[in-house]
Short mmCIF file of all heavy atoms in Angstrom, two decimals:
data_model
loop_
_atom_site.label_atom_id
_atom_site.label_comp_id
_atom_site.label_asym_id
_atom_site.label_seq_id
_atom_site.Cartn_x
_atom_site.Cartn_y
_atom_site.Cartn_z
N MET A 1 0.85 -1.15 0.01
CA MET A 1 0.01 -0.02 0.01
C MET A 1 0.89 1.23 0.03
O MET A 1 1.78 1.37 0.84
CB MET A 1 -0.92 0.01 1.23
CG MET A 1 -1.75 1.19 1.39
SD MET A 1 -2.82 0.90 2.84
CE MET A 1 -3.71 2.38 2.79
N LEU A 2 0.62 2.15 -0.95
CA LEU A 2 1.42 3.33 -1.05
C LEU A 2 0.66 4.48 -0.38
O LEU A 2 -0.48 4.62 -0.36
CB LEU A 2 1.74 3.70 -2.51
CG LEU A 2 2.56 2.64 -3.23
CD1 LEU A 2 2.68 3.13 -4.69
CD2 LEU A 2 3.80 2.45 -2.60
N HIS A 3 1.45 5.35 0.25
CA HIS A 3 0.96 6.47 0.90
C HIS A 3 1.29 7.76 0.18
O HIS A 3 2.30 7.88 -0.59
CB HIS A 3 1.50 6.66 2.29
CG HIS A 3 1.25 5.37 3.12
ND1 HIS A 3 0.04 5.25 3.83
CD2 HIS A 3 1.89 4.26 3.37
CE1 HIS A 3 0.03 4.05 4.44
NE2 HIS A 3 1.14 3.46 4.20
N SER A 4 0.51 8.81 0.33
CA SER A 4 0.89 10.08 -0.29
C SER A 4 2.16 10.61 0.36
O SER A 4 2.45 10.41 1.51
CB SER A 4 -0.26 11.07 -0.16
OG SER A 4 -0.49 11.38 1.20
N MET A 5 2.87 11.44 -0.35
CA MET A 5 4.13 12.01 0.09
C MET A 5 3.93 12.99 1.18
O MET A 5 3.16 13.93 0.98
CB MET A 5 4.84 12.56 -1.08
CG MET A 5 6.20 13.11 -0.80
SD MET A 5 7.31 11.83 -0.21
CE MET A 5 8.23 12.79 0.99
N SER A 6 4.61 12.83 2.25
CA SER A 6 4.60 13.80 3.32
C SER A 6 5.50 14.99 3.00
O SER A 6 6.47 14.83 2.32
CB SER A 6 5.12 13.12 4.63
OG SER A 6 5.73 13.99 5.43
N THR A 7 5.16 16.15 3.47
CA THR A 7 5.95 17.38 3.12
C THR A 7 7.02 17.57 4.27
O THR A 7 7.95 18.40 4.05
CB THR A 7 5.08 18.59 3.05
OG1 THR A 7 4.36 18.75 4.22
CG2 THR A 7 4.18 18.57 1.86
N SER A 8 6.92 16.87 5.35
CA SER A 8 7.92 17.05 6.38
C SER A 8 8.63 15.77 6.62
O SER A 8 8.09 14.66 6.87
CB SER A 8 7.16 17.50 7.68
OG SER A 8 8.05 17.41 8.78
N VAL A 9 9.98 15.83 6.62
CA VAL A 9 10.82 14.61 6.89
C VAL A 9 11.20 14.56 8.34
O VAL A 9 11.62 13.51 8.75
CB VAL A 9 12.02 14.50 5.92
CG1 VAL A 9 11.55 14.31 4.52
CG2 VAL A 9 12.89 15.73 6.11
N GLU A 10 11.03 15.59 9.07
CA GLU A 10 11.52 15.61 10.50
C GLU A 10 10.64 14.69 11.28
O GLU A 10 11.14 14.00 12.16
CB GLU A 10 11.50 16.98 11.14
CG GLU A 10 12.30 18.07 10.41
CD GLU A 10 11.47 18.82 9.49
OE1 GLU A 10 10.32 19.11 9.78
OE2 GLU A 10 12.01 19.23 8.41
N ALA A 11 9.40 14.72 11.12
CA ALA A 11 8.48 13.86 11.92
C ALA A 11 7.72 12.88 11.08
O ALA A 11 6.54 13.03 10.84
CB ALA A 11 7.53 14.81 12.65
N SER A 12 8.42 11.90 10.62
CA SER A 12 7.84 10.90 9.75
C SER A 12 6.86 10.09 10.56
O SER A 12 7.20 9.59 11.68
CB SER A 12 8.90 10.00 9.07
OG SER A 12 8.29 9.02 8.29
N GLU A 13 5.63 9.86 10.06
CA GLU A 13 4.67 9.03 10.73
C GLU A 13 4.77 7.65 10.21
O GLU A 13 4.08 6.77 10.73
CB GLU A 13 3.30 9.62 10.57
CG GLU A 13 3.16 10.92 11.31
CD GLU A 13 1.79 11.60 11.22
OE1 GLU A 13 0.87 10.91 10.73
OE2 GLU A 13 1.64 12.71 11.60
N ARG A 14 5.57 7.38 9.15
CA ARG A 14 5.70 6.12 8.57
C ARG A 14 6.96 5.44 8.99
O ARG A 14 7.95 6.08 9.29
CB ARG A 14 5.64 6.20 7.05
CG ARG A 14 4.37 6.84 6.53
CD ARG A 14 4.26 6.74 5.03
NE ARG A 14 5.22 7.58 4.34
CZ ARG A 14 5.44 7.59 3.05
NH1 ARG A 14 4.83 6.69 2.26
NH2 ARG A 14 6.37 8.39 2.48
N SER A 15 6.97 4.11 8.99
CA SER A 15 8.20 3.40 9.34
C SER A 15 9.14 3.43 8.16
O SER A 15 8.75 3.67 7.02
CB SER A 15 7.87 1.96 9.64
OG SER A 15 7.47 1.24 8.47
N ALA A 16 10.37 3.24 8.43
CA ALA A 16 11.46 3.10 7.37
C ALA A 16 11.02 2.05 6.33
O ALA A 16 11.22 2.24 5.15
CB ALA A 16 12.81 2.79 7.95
N ALA A 17 10.44 0.94 6.70
CA ALA A 17 9.97 -0.14 5.81
C ALA A 17 8.88 0.41 4.87
O ALA A 17 8.86 0.06 3.70
CB ALA A 17 9.51 -1.33 6.67
N GLU A 18 7.95 1.16 5.41
CA GLU A 18 6.92 1.75 4.58
C GLU A 18 7.45 2.69 3.56
O GLU A 18 7.04 2.70 2.37
CB GLU A 18 5.89 2.50 5.48
CG GLU A 18 5.05 1.54 6.29
CD GLU A 18 4.14 2.25 7.23
OE1 GLU A 18 4.61 3.18 7.95
OE2 GLU A 18 2.93 1.99 7.32
N VAL A 19 8.43 3.54 3.97
CA VAL A 19 9.01 4.49 3.05
C VAL A 19 9.83 3.72 2.00
O VAL A 19 9.81 4.04 0.79
CB VAL A 19 9.86 5.53 3.78
CG1 VAL A 19 10.47 6.52 2.80
CG2 VAL A 19 8.99 6.33 4.77
N ASN A 20 10.57 2.67 2.49
CA ASN A 20 11.31 1.86 1.53
C ASN A 20 10.45 1.27 0.48
O ASN A 20 10.82 1.15 -0.70
CB ASN A 20 12.11 0.83 2.29
CG ASN A 20 13.09 0.11 1.42
OD1 ASN A 20 13.82 0.76 0.68
ND2 ASN A 20 13.15 -1.17 1.61
N GLU A 21 9.29 0.82 0.83
CA GLU A 21 8.33 0.22 -0.08
C GLU A 21 7.95 1.23 -1.17
O GLU A 21 7.90 0.87 -2.33
CB GLU A 21 7.12 -0.24 0.68
CG GLU A 21 5.98 -0.81 -0.24
CD GLU A 21 4.74 -1.15 0.55
OE1 GLU A 21 4.80 -1.34 1.78
OE2 GLU A 21 3.69 -1.23 -0.13
N GLU A 22 7.77 2.46 -0.78
CA GLU A 22 7.45 3.52 -1.78
C GLU A 22 8.61 3.79 -2.66
O GLU A 22 8.44 4.00 -3.84
CB GLU A 22 6.94 4.77 -1.06
CG GLU A 22 6.45 5.78 -2.05
CD GLU A 22 5.71 6.95 -1.36
OE1 GLU A 22 5.35 6.80 -0.18
OE2 GLU A 22 5.53 7.98 -2.07
N ILE A 23 9.81 3.77 -2.13
CA ILE A 23 11.05 3.97 -2.90
C ILE A 23 11.17 2.88 -3.95
O ILE A 23 11.42 3.18 -5.15
CB ILE A 23 12.31 4.03 -2.07
CG1 ILE A 23 12.32 5.33 -1.20
CG2 ILE A 23 13.59 3.92 -2.86
CD1 ILE A 23 13.35 5.38 -0.12
N ARG A 24 10.96 1.63 -3.57
CA ARG A 24 11.07 0.48 -4.49
C ARG A 24 9.98 0.60 -5.61
O ARG A 24 10.25 0.39 -6.75
CB ARG A 24 10.86 -0.79 -3.73
CG ARG A 24 12.02 -1.17 -2.89
CD ARG A 24 11.75 -2.48 -2.04
NE ARG A 24 12.88 -2.71 -1.22
CZ ARG A 24 13.86 -3.61 -1.59
NH1 ARG A 24 13.86 -4.18 -2.71
NH2 ARG A 24 14.83 -3.85 -0.65
N ALA A 25 8.79 1.02 -5.19
CA ALA A 25 7.69 1.17 -6.16
C ALA A 25 7.95 2.28 -7.18
O ALA A 25 7.73 2.12 -8.37
CB ALA A 25 6.35 1.48 -5.45
N LEU A 26 8.61 3.37 -6.67
CA LEU A 26 8.97 4.47 -7.55
C LEU A 26 10.01 3.95 -8.57
O LEU A 26 9.85 4.19 -9.80
CB LEU A 26 9.62 5.61 -6.80
CG LEU A 26 10.24 6.77 -7.52
CD1 LEU A 26 9.15 7.49 -8.37
CD2 LEU A 26 10.88 7.75 -6.61
N TRP A 27 11.03 3.22 -8.22
CA TRP A 27 11.99 2.64 -9.15
C TRP A 27 11.36 1.67 -10.08
O TRP A 27 11.66 1.67 -11.31
CB TRP A 27 13.10 1.94 -8.39
CG TRP A 27 14.17 2.96 -7.93
CD1 TRP A 27 14.37 3.34 -6.64
CD2 TRP A 27 15.14 3.62 -8.66
NE1 TRP A 27 15.38 4.26 -6.56
CE2 TRP A 27 15.89 4.47 -7.85
CE3 TRP A 27 15.39 3.63 -10.07
CZ2 TRP A 27 16.90 5.25 -8.37
CZ3 TRP A 27 16.41 4.47 -10.53
CH2 TRP A 27 17.19 5.28 -9.66
N LEU A 28 10.44 0.84 -9.64
CA LEU A 28 9.76 -0.10 -10.52
C LEU A 28 8.94 0.63 -11.59
O LEU A 28 8.95 0.31 -12.79
CB LEU A 28 8.83 -1.07 -9.75
CG LEU A 28 9.56 -2.14 -8.98
CD1 LEU A 28 8.55 -2.91 -8.07
CD2 LEU A 28 10.28 -3.10 -9.92
N ARG A 29 8.15 1.65 -11.19
CA ARG A 29 7.35 2.45 -12.12
C ARG A 29 8.18 3.16 -13.15
O ARG A 29 7.84 3.36 -14.29
CB ARG A 29 6.54 3.51 -11.36
CG ARG A 29 5.31 2.95 -10.63
CD ARG A 29 4.40 4.12 -10.23
NE ARG A 29 5.08 5.23 -9.54
CZ ARG A 29 5.31 5.18 -8.14
NH1 ARG A 29 4.92 4.25 -7.39
NH2 ARG A 29 5.85 6.27 -7.63
N SER A 30 9.43 3.61 -12.72
CA SER A 30 10.23 4.37 -13.60
C SER A 30 10.99 3.50 -14.63
O SER A 30 11.55 4.08 -15.61
CB SER A 30 11.30 5.18 -12.80
OG SER A 30 12.29 4.31 -12.26
N GLY A 31 11.05 2.23 -14.38
CA GLY A 31 11.80 1.32 -15.30
C GLY A 31 13.31 1.50 -15.11
O GLY A 31 14.07 1.12 -15.99
N GLY A 32 13.72 2.04 -13.95
CA GLY A 32 15.10 2.16 -13.69
C GLY A 32 15.70 3.48 -14.01
O GLY A 32 16.95 3.71 -13.74
N THR A 33 15.01 4.38 -14.67
CA THR A 33 15.46 5.70 -15.01
C THR A 33 14.47 6.72 -14.48
O THR A 33 13.34 6.83 -14.95
CB THR A 33 15.68 5.85 -16.51
OG1 THR A 33 16.51 4.85 -17.04
CG2 THR A 33 16.22 7.19 -16.91
N LEU A 34 15.02 7.59 -13.57
CA LEU A 34 14.10 8.57 -12.99
C LEU A 34 14.08 9.91 -13.73
O LEU A 34 15.20 10.36 -14.18
CB LEU A 34 14.54 8.86 -11.52
CG LEU A 34 14.54 7.70 -10.57
CD1 LEU A 34 15.12 8.08 -9.23
CD2 LEU A 34 13.18 7.11 -10.36
N SER A 35 12.92 10.42 -13.95
CA SER A 35 12.83 11.80 -14.50
C SER A 35 13.25 12.83 -13.45
O SER A 35 13.47 12.48 -12.27
CB SER A 35 11.35 12.02 -14.93
OG SER A 35 10.56 12.17 -13.75
N VAL A 36 13.37 14.02 -13.86
CA VAL A 36 13.70 15.13 -12.90
C VAL A 36 12.69 15.16 -11.74
O VAL A 36 13.08 15.18 -10.53
CB VAL A 36 13.76 16.50 -13.52
CG1 VAL A 36 13.91 17.61 -12.59
CG2 VAL A 36 14.85 16.52 -14.59
N GLU A 37 11.44 15.09 -12.07
CA GLU A 37 10.36 15.05 -10.97
C GLU A 37 10.53 13.83 -10.11
O GLU A 37 10.40 13.92 -8.82
CB GLU A 37 8.99 15.10 -11.60
CG GLU A 37 7.88 15.14 -10.63
CD GLU A 37 6.53 15.19 -11.26
OE1 GLU A 37 6.21 16.13 -12.02
OE2 GLU A 37 5.71 14.22 -11.07
N GLN A 38 10.78 12.70 -10.66
CA GLN A 38 10.92 11.48 -9.91
C GLN A 38 12.18 11.55 -9.04
O GLN A 38 12.14 11.02 -7.90
CB GLN A 38 10.93 10.23 -10.81
CG GLN A 38 9.60 9.98 -11.41
CD GLN A 38 9.74 8.90 -12.58
OE1 GLN A 38 10.69 8.88 -13.33
NE2 GLN A 38 8.80 8.01 -12.61
N ARG A 39 13.24 12.12 -9.53
CA ARG A 39 14.52 12.31 -8.75
C ARG A 39 14.22 13.10 -7.50
O ARG A 39 14.71 12.90 -6.43
CB ARG A 39 15.59 12.86 -9.55
CG ARG A 39 16.43 11.80 -10.34
CD ARG A 39 17.57 12.46 -10.98
NE ARG A 39 17.17 12.37 -12.40
CZ ARG A 39 17.55 13.21 -13.37
NH1 ARG A 39 18.37 14.25 -13.00
NH2 ARG A 39 17.21 13.04 -14.57
N GLU A 40 13.43 14.18 -7.68
CA GLU A 40 13.13 15.02 -6.55
C GLU A 40 12.26 14.24 -5.52
O GLU A 40 12.51 14.35 -4.29
CB GLU A 40 12.37 16.26 -6.95
CG GLU A 40 13.22 17.20 -7.78
CD GLU A 40 12.45 18.32 -8.45
OE1 GLU A 40 11.15 18.33 -8.43
OE2 GLU A 40 13.08 19.23 -9.04
N GLN A 41 11.37 13.45 -6.01
CA GLN A 41 10.50 12.67 -5.11
C GLN A 41 11.41 11.59 -4.36
O GLN A 41 11.34 11.40 -3.21
CB GLN A 41 9.44 11.95 -5.85
CG GLN A 41 8.55 11.11 -5.00
CD GLN A 41 7.46 10.31 -5.81
OE1 GLN A 41 7.45 10.33 -7.05
NE2 GLN A 41 6.56 9.70 -5.07
N TYR A 42 12.32 11.00 -5.15
CA TYR A 42 13.25 10.03 -4.59
C TYR A 42 14.08 10.63 -3.47
O TYR A 42 14.26 10.02 -2.39
CB TYR A 42 14.12 9.48 -5.67
CG TYR A 42 15.23 8.54 -5.17
CD1 TYR A 42 14.95 7.25 -4.76
CD2 TYR A 42 16.55 9.00 -5.05
CE1 TYR A 42 15.96 6.41 -4.31
CE2 TYR A 42 17.60 8.16 -4.62
CZ TYR A 42 17.25 6.92 -4.22
OH TYR A 42 18.27 6.05 -3.76
N GLN A 43 14.60 11.81 -3.68
CA GLN A 43 15.44 12.53 -2.68
C GLN A 43 14.62 12.80 -1.44
O GLN A 43 15.08 12.59 -0.30
CB GLN A 43 15.99 13.77 -3.21
CG GLN A 43 17.07 13.57 -4.24
CD GLN A 43 17.56 14.77 -4.96
OE1 GLN A 43 16.86 15.86 -4.89
NE2 GLN A 43 18.68 14.74 -5.59
N ARG A 44 13.34 13.25 -1.56
CA ARG A 44 12.47 13.42 -0.41
C ARG A 44 12.24 12.16 0.29
O ARG A 44 12.24 12.09 1.51
CB ARG A 44 11.18 14.14 -0.82
CG ARG A 44 11.30 15.55 -1.22
CD ARG A 44 9.99 16.20 -1.46
NE ARG A 44 9.13 15.50 -2.36
CZ ARG A 44 9.04 15.86 -3.73
NH1 ARG A 44 9.77 16.83 -4.20
NH2 ARG A 44 8.26 15.17 -4.51
N LEU A 45 11.99 11.08 -0.40
CA LEU A 45 11.73 9.79 0.18
C LEU A 45 12.95 9.26 0.98
O LEU A 45 12.80 8.72 2.05
CB LEU A 45 11.31 8.76 -0.88
CG LEU A 45 9.93 8.93 -1.39
CD1 LEU A 45 9.72 8.14 -2.66
CD2 LEU A 45 8.89 8.63 -0.40
N VAL A 46 14.14 9.45 0.38
CA VAL A 46 15.35 9.01 1.11
C VAL A 46 15.56 9.76 2.38
O VAL A 46 15.84 9.14 3.42
CB VAL A 46 16.61 9.14 0.19
CG1 VAL A 46 17.90 8.93 0.94
CG2 VAL A 46 16.49 8.14 -0.97
N LEU A 47 15.24 11.07 2.40
CA LEU A 47 15.38 11.84 3.63
C LEU A 47 14.31 11.32 4.65
O LEU A 47 14.62 11.27 5.85
CB LEU A 47 15.20 13.32 3.28
CG LEU A 47 16.32 13.98 2.61
CD1 LEU A 47 15.95 15.42 2.22
CD2 LEU A 47 17.61 13.95 3.36
N GLU A 48 13.13 11.08 4.17
CA GLU A 48 12.11 10.56 5.06
C GLU A 48 12.44 9.23 5.63
O GLU A 48 12.30 8.93 6.80
CB GLU A 48 10.74 10.52 4.37
CG GLU A 48 9.58 10.08 5.19
CD GLU A 48 8.26 9.94 4.55
OE1 GLU A 48 8.17 10.34 3.33
OE2 GLU A 48 7.33 9.47 5.15
N TRP A 49 13.05 8.35 4.73
CA TRP A 49 13.46 7.05 5.14
C TRP A 49 14.54 7.12 6.25
O TRP A 49 14.45 6.45 7.28
CB TRP A 49 13.94 6.29 3.94
CG TRP A 49 14.59 4.94 4.29
CD1 TRP A 49 13.97 3.75 4.51
CD2 TRP A 49 16.02 4.70 4.41
NE1 TRP A 49 14.87 2.78 4.82
CE2 TRP A 49 16.12 3.33 4.72
CE3 TRP A 49 17.14 5.48 4.30
CZ2 TRP A 49 17.41 2.74 4.89
CZ3 TRP A 49 18.35 4.95 4.48
CH2 TRP A 49 18.49 3.54 4.79
N ALA A 50 15.51 7.99 6.04
CA ALA A 50 16.55 8.14 7.04
C ALA A 50 16.03 8.67 8.32
O ALA A 50 16.45 8.23 9.39
CB ALA A 50 17.65 9.09 6.47
N ALA A 51 15.06 9.57 8.29
CA ALA A 51 14.46 10.13 9.54
C ALA A 51 13.66 9.03 10.29
O ALA A 51 13.49 9.07 11.49
CB ALA A 51 13.62 11.32 9.21
N ALA A 52 13.16 8.10 9.58
CA ALA A 52 12.32 7.02 10.17
C ALA A 52 13.14 5.91 10.70
O ALA A 52 12.59 5.07 11.40
CB ALA A 52 11.36 6.49 9.10
N LEU A 53 14.49 5.91 10.45
CA LEU A 53 15.29 4.76 10.94
C LEU A 53 15.31 4.88 12.47
O LEU A 53 15.36 5.93 13.07
CB LEU A 53 16.68 4.86 10.40
CG LEU A 53 16.89 4.50 8.93
CD1 LEU A 53 18.30 4.78 8.56
CD2 LEU A 53 16.52 3.07 8.73
N PRO A 54 15.41 3.71 13.14
CA PRO A 54 15.58 3.67 14.60
C PRO A 54 16.84 4.43 14.99
O PRO A 54 17.86 4.35 14.29
CB PRO A 54 15.64 2.23 14.92
CG PRO A 54 15.14 1.47 13.73
CD PRO A 54 15.38 2.37 12.53
N GLN A 55 16.86 5.01 16.17
CA GLN A 55 17.97 5.83 16.64
C GLN A 55 19.22 4.98 16.75
O GLN A 55 20.33 5.46 16.47
CB GLN A 55 17.66 6.46 17.96
CG GLN A 55 16.56 7.49 17.88
CD GLN A 55 16.99 8.67 17.11
OE1 GLN A 55 18.18 9.14 17.13
NE2 GLN A 55 16.02 9.21 16.33
N SER A 56 19.12 3.70 17.09
CA SER A 56 20.26 2.83 17.27
C SER A 56 21.02 2.66 15.96
O SER A 56 22.22 2.44 15.94
CB SER A 56 19.88 1.54 17.87
OG SER A 56 18.98 0.85 17.01
N ALA A 57 20.32 2.66 14.81
CA ALA A 57 20.94 2.50 13.53
C ALA A 57 21.81 3.71 13.10
O ALA A 57 22.80 3.51 12.44
CB ALA A 57 19.86 2.28 12.45
N GLU A 58 21.53 4.86 13.68
CA GLU A 58 22.34 6.05 13.35
C GLU A 58 23.70 5.91 14.03
O GLU A 58 24.66 6.51 13.53
CB GLU A 58 21.61 7.31 13.79
CG GLU A 58 20.34 7.60 13.00
CD GLU A 58 19.62 8.83 13.44
OE1 GLU A 58 20.24 9.66 14.19
OE2 GLU A 58 18.49 8.97 13.08
N ALA A 59 23.81 5.30 15.16
CA ALA A 59 25.02 5.18 15.85
C ALA A 59 26.02 4.25 15.25
O ALA A 59 27.14 4.27 15.52
CB ALA A 59 24.82 4.84 17.33
N ALA A 60 25.49 3.33 14.43
CA ALA A 60 26.31 2.25 13.86
C ALA A 60 27.27 2.76 12.74
O ALA A 60 27.18 3.73 12.18
CB ALA A 60 25.43 1.21 13.29
#
């Protein structure tokens, strides 16, 4: 299940796994080549994904 893109990455309400699912779906839809708009979406998703990671993963 895909969710609409959040505008804030600081307080992600989705888990890293949920955001990762959306990242994978974006790559699948694009056929492996991202347009400019898709690259911007990808960058936002990666930031959201990183913000959603457990705190212990950041220390590793």
Side-chain angles (χ1 to χ4, degrees):
M1 177 178 182
L2 297 179
H3 301 275
S4 63
M5 184 61 217
S6 150
T7 57
S8 172
V9 294
E10 302 96 36
S12 178
E13 294 181 9
R14 300 189 288 170
S15 71
E18 289 172 312
V19 179
N20 189 43
E21 179 184 338
E22 189 168 343
I23 291 170
R24 289 175 183 265
L26 174 63
W27 278 106
L28 285 173
R29 284 192 312 272
S30 74
T33 304
L34 299 176
S35 68
V36 171
E37 181 181 299
Q38 288 170 320
R39 271 184 253 151
E40 291 170 355
Q41 180 182 10
Y42 173 75
Q43 290 173 343
R44 287 189 305 265
L45 287 168
V46 169
L47 291 174
E48 183 181 355
W49 172 81
L53 287 174
Q55 293 297 320
S56 61
E58 291 178 17

